[in-house]
Amino acid sequence: MLQRPEHQVAGHEAGSGTPGPLIDGSGHFFKPLNPSDERGAHELAFYTSFFSDPRVPHSIRSSFFPSFGGTRVLPIPDSPDLLLPHLVLENLLHGYSNPCVMDVKIGARTWYPSASEKYYAKCLKKDRDSTSALLGFRISGLQVHHESGRWKPHRDKVRKYTVTDVRQSLRQFISKNPDETPPDCALASSVYGGSNGILAQLLELKSWFEDQTLFHFYSASLLIAYDKGGKAPRLKLIDFAHVMEGEGIIDHNFLGGLCSLIKCVSEILADAETAAGPTDPQVLETTADLEAAAGPAEPKVVVGLTENGIH
Amino acid sequence: MLQRPEHQVAGHEAGSGTPGPLIDGSGHFFKPLNPSDERGAHELAFYTSFFSDPRVPHSIRSSFFPSFGGTRVLPIPDSPDLLLPHLVLENLLHGYSNPCVMDVKIGARTWYPSASEKYYAKCLKKDRDSTSALLGFRISGLQVHHESGRWKPHRDKVRKYTVTDVRQSLRQFISKNPDETPPDCALASSVYGGSNGILAQLLELKSWFEDQTLFHFYSASLLIAYDKGGKAPRLKLIDFAHVMEGEGIIDHNFLGGLCSLIKCVSEILADAETAAGPTDPQVLETTADLEAAAGPAEPKVVVGLTENGIH
């Protein structure tokens, strides 16, 4: 019944003697809570707090976070005598036959103000060595299913991605020929575009981040996923081992990185649609259209701009 | 004709033998270009590039940047035999009889990716020791003219501002009793609010930063100024000695800090308008008004383990 997730693209995997996440056939994702590692306890505390906080809008919780079902003690597959508590989460890829998945760690900095000097130095080095400091986010892993199989760059290769590589990966991710040059971006409109697409979801999430001062999501990721053919793109926040209390301050680090990702995705979408020529006018394609369409979901400030208004 | 600016609240001032900025009676602000300091040359290069780049919208240039008139060689007041080139800029306080001024350095980090290790370490320490890392901006200086004189906290005091102090300063800045507790926020609506107020201008600037990938404004400041009684608030970007080319990436560091400042200003405006009771519905315009309508600030989140804890 329990098995290793097949489509994990980043994060801890099970090793010999090291417990990793498990999934069942009912849509659950079990993440081990190692008692000797405070990160698990911290992530559990976050889920508990987040799912009971009335200030978090229901739509945000249900749209952008895995559902949470407490904890459960489970045997470890390779060491059935060993029982370990697990977080009971939603398997975000449940129901997808051939999922295309990307893990994007958001924020120019992954260290938090109260971090130890050692942890801080380690994060800072990673942020400067990766695209995080420069671009405001980095890709931690991805896989694309296409007609002739699965394309999944090696973890060590992804770790060395430059800004150019990241831009390219965001194109490969929505291409039917991810391993060719240039990637065709054939699924740009169906995955990134449209009123239920990734860009529209990113903009809705951005609206919440412009306002919320409850949590700071250090080192968290956005999981972007869709099934073969571009069906049902999903955008979810994951990995909350380093979420801190917001203390009345917005999460400007996450928000800045999110805006940078939005800009990159917008550009790909605009390029793809320019290349495709005129399209159905009902398809909402531009950032401005989508922001307008987000409507009530966005607690937009309606201050009249001066006559020098932005266009 | 040339004189020292009376209302400078931050940045380099003239010392004995050290040249500082000068103003004339015609609205010019002359900033010395020290030939031995590359920052001056860098700032000149920025102004030259920025004012000739057709990709910068005219409205952005004219609304949010000092006008630029090239360079001029001027004698130094205390050493009239010494001639030094100066940047010819707009005196942003020209025409104000009793200016209230605040200098806000935007961005959680002031170091840029290509900085030397020494400069990087120096900036990082300042960012962590000040409110920059935590809040996404810091106040570098301010002065408020009120009925009985001028209130201007000492530079050493401002340098030690905590997040609470920064929030308080943003209230003192638009109060008629800045040195009393609590400050009355009497000018909140006329300075921060309204369609030509600071919040509306910040939002217009934010729209540009969500899109522009031309420049990264490391260590730049927003100068917020208004004249006695709240007339004609101005918002201008200043200090461009560390502007870098954007290379196709948005300035997520500046944008994040800007959004944090917007949130703080929105909250003050909402509080002030709630306190003032029902007002002209046209004035109720901000995101924060919605929050105020939903009730007073709620208690702090307590992240802690619950009964779902590890067993």
Side-chain angles (χ1 to χ4, degrees):
Chain A
M1 194 69 176
L2 292 175
Q3 60 182 76
R4 305 283 183 208
E6 192 190 342
H7 302 297
Q8 203 178 348
V9 295
H12 297 279
E13 285 170 356
S16 53
T18 323
L22 298 167
I23 55 171
D24 66 11
S26 315
H28 294 113
F29 182 93
F30 302 101
K31 192 169 179 177
L33 280 168
N34 193 331
S36 66
D37 184 345
E38 65 179 15
R39 288 177 299 180
H42 199 97
E43 186 158 28
L44 171 58
F46 167 75
Y47 271 107
T48 307
S49 164
F50 181 80
F51 274 82
S52 62
D53 193 317
R55 293 167 297 179
V56 178
H58 174 71
S59 62
I60 291 295
R61 200 150 35 207
S62 60
S63 301
F64 299 116
F65 288 82
S67 59
F68 169 61
T71 63
R72 194 183 303 172
V73 175
L74 296 172
I76 306 304
D78 299 335
S79 328
D81 292 343
L82 186 63
L83 294 171
L84 204 63
H86 288 68
L87 283 173
V88 182
L89 302 172
E90 178 186 359
N91 177 5
L92 299 172
L93 304 178
H94 185 66
Y96 282 178
S97 54
N98 291 296
C100 300
V101 189
M102 180 179 272
D103 180 303
V104 189
K105 198 182 276 284
I106 304 290
R109 78 175 195 230
T110 53
W111 56 271
Y112 42 93
S114 63
S116 70
E117 281 301 312
K118 194 180 160 190
Y119 182 77
Y120 153 77
K122 187 180 137 191
C123 290
L124 195 57
K125 182 167 172 14
K126 276 193 191 173
D127 297 343
R128 292 183 84 192
D129 288 348
S130 72
T131 63
S132 293
L134 206 54
L135 195 56
F137 64 89
R138 64 180 181 250
I139 291 178
S140 298
L142 76 161
Q143 73 170 24
V144 182
H145 274 102
H146 55 109
E147 290 203 346
S148 44
R150 180 168 76 159
W151 176 76
K152 184 177 178 177
H154 193 275
R155 195 175 273 227
D156 292 341
K157 199 177 166 189
V158 175
R159 210 167 271 150
K160 289 175 188 154
Y161 270 4
T162 63
V163 169
T164 305
D165 296 330
V166 167
R167 291 187 191 284
Q168 182 73 352
S169 289
L170 287 167
R171 290 175 180 270
Q172 290 169 297
F173 183 62
I174 41 81
S175 290
K176 288 186 171 174
N177 61 344
D179 45 1
E180 290 172 26
T181 304
D184 60 23
C185 293
L187 301 170
S189 290
S190 55
V191 176
Y192 291 158
S195 59
N196 294 313
I198 294 300
L199 181 59
Q201 294 187 50
L202 287 169
L203 290 168
E204 190 182 343
L205 189 62
K206 169 179 166 245
S207 294
W208 184 58
F209 270 92
E210 286 174 342
D211 189 51
Q212 76 89 14
T213 60
L214 303 171
F215 303 104
H216 287 189
F217 293 87
Y218 291 104
S219 219
S221 284
L222 282 174
L223 190 85
I224 306 177
Y226 67 91
D227 207 0
K228 206 176 170 178
K231 275 187 298 180
R234 284 180 196 160
L235 179 75
K236 298 276 182 176
L237 264 164
I238 57 168
D239 294 343
F240 307 119
H242 302 290
V243 176
M244 300 290 139
E245 288 182 33
E247 296 180 346
I249 300 168
I250 66 162
D251 189 353
H252 48 84
N253 177 59
F254 191 99
L255 178 58
L258 187 60
C259 290
S260 181
L261 177 62
I262 286 170
K263 177 70 179 174
C264 292
V265 170
S266 301
E267 284 174 348
I268 293 169
L269 196 50
D271 286 353
E273 286 170 352
T274 303
T279 51
D280 179 353
Q282 285 212 297
V283 179
L284 300 172
E285 288 150 353
T286 68
T287 307
D289 284 344
L290 291 167
E291 273 182 318
E298 186 176 11
K300 203 161 182 169
V301 183
V302 198
V303 174
L305 293 176
T306 65
E307 57 191 22
N308 292 328
I310 284 287
H311 20 271
Chain B
M1 194 70 176
L2 293 174
Q3 60 183 74
R4 305 284 183 208
E6 192 189 343
H7 302 297
Q8 204 179 349
V9 295
H12 296 280
E13 286 170 357
S16 54
T18 323
L22 297 168
I23 56 171
D24 66 12
S26 315
H28 294 113
F29 182 92
F30 302 100
K31 192 169 178 176
L33 281 168
N34 193 330
S36 66
D37 184 346
E38 64 179 17
R39 289 177 299 181
H42 198 97
E43 187 159 26
L44 171 59
F46 166 74
Y47 271 107
T48 307
S49 162
F50 181 81
F51 274 83
S52 62
D53 194 318
R55 295 168 295 178
V56 178
H58 173 73
S59 62
I60 291 295
R61 202 154 29 210
S62 61
S63 300
F64 298 116
F65 288 81
S67 59
F68 169 60
T71 62
R72 194 183 304 172
V73 175
L74 295 172
I76 306 305
D78 299 337
S79 327
D81 292 343
L82 187 62
L83 294 171
L84 204 63
H86 288 69
L87 285 173
V88 183
L89 303 172
E90 179 186 359
N91 176 6
L92 300 172
L93 304 178
H94 185 65
Y96 282 179
S97 54
N98 291 296
C100 300
V101 189
M102 180 179 271
D103 180 303
V104 188
K105 197 182 277 284
I106 304 290
R109 78 174 194 232
T110 53
W111 57 271
Y112 43 93
S114 62
S116 70
E117 281 301 311
K118 193 180 160 190
Y119 182 77
Y120 155 76
K122 186 180 138 192
C123 289
L124 195 58
K125 182 168 172 13
K126 275 194 191 174
D127 296 343
R128 293 183 85 192
D129 288 349
S130 71
T131 64
S132 293
L134 205 54
L135 194 56
F137 65 89
R138 65 179 180 250
I139 291 177
S140 297
L142 76 161
Q143 73 169 24
V144 182
H145 274 102
H146 55 109
E147 289 204 346
S148 44
R150 179 168 78 158
W151 176 76
K152 184 177 180 178
H154 192 274
R155 196 175 270 227
D156 291 341
K157 200 177 165 189
V158 175
R159 209 167 271 150
K160 290 175 189 155
Y161 270 3
T162 62
V163 170
T164 305
D165 295 330
V166 167
R167 290 187 192 284
Q168 182 73 354
S169 289
L170 287 167
R171 291 175 180 269
Q172 290 169 297
F173 182 61
I174 40 82
S175 290
K176 288 188 171 174
N177 62 343
D179 46 0
E180 290 173 26
T181 305
D184 60 23
C185 293
L187 301 171
S189 289
S190 54
V191 176
Y192 290 159
S195 60
N196 294 313
I198 293 300
L199 181 59
Q201 294 186 51
L202 287 169
L203 290 167
E204 189 182 345
L205 188 62
K206 168 176 168 254
S207 295
W208 184 59
F209 270 92
E210 285 174 345
D211 189 51
Q212 75 89 12
T213 60
L214 304 171
F215 303 104
H216 287 189
F217 293 87
Y218 291 104
S219 219
S221 284
L222 283 174
L223 191 83
I224 306 176
Y226 66 90
D227 206 1
K228 205 175 172 180
K231 274 186 299 179
R234 283 180 197 161
L235 179 74
K236 298 276 181 177
L237 264 164
I238 58 169
D239 294 342
F240 307 119
H242 302 289
V243 176
M244 300 290 139
E245 284 182 34
E247 295 178 349
I249 301 168
I250 66 161
D251 189 353
H252 48 83
N253 177 59
F254 190 98
L255 178 57
L258 187 59
C259 290
S260 182
L261 177 61
I262 286 170
K263 177 70 177 176
C264 292
V265 169
S266 300
E267 284 174 348
I268 293 169
L269 196 50
D271 286 353
E273 286 170 354
T274 303
T279 48
D280 177 353
Q282 284 208 300
V283 183
L284 296 170
E285 288 162 336
T286 70
T287 307
D289 286 326
L290 301 171
E291 291 173 350
E298 301 194 44
K300 203 167 155 180
V301 188
V302 180
V303 174
L305 292 176
T306 68
E307 55 192 27
N308 282 330
I310 302 165
H311 312 296

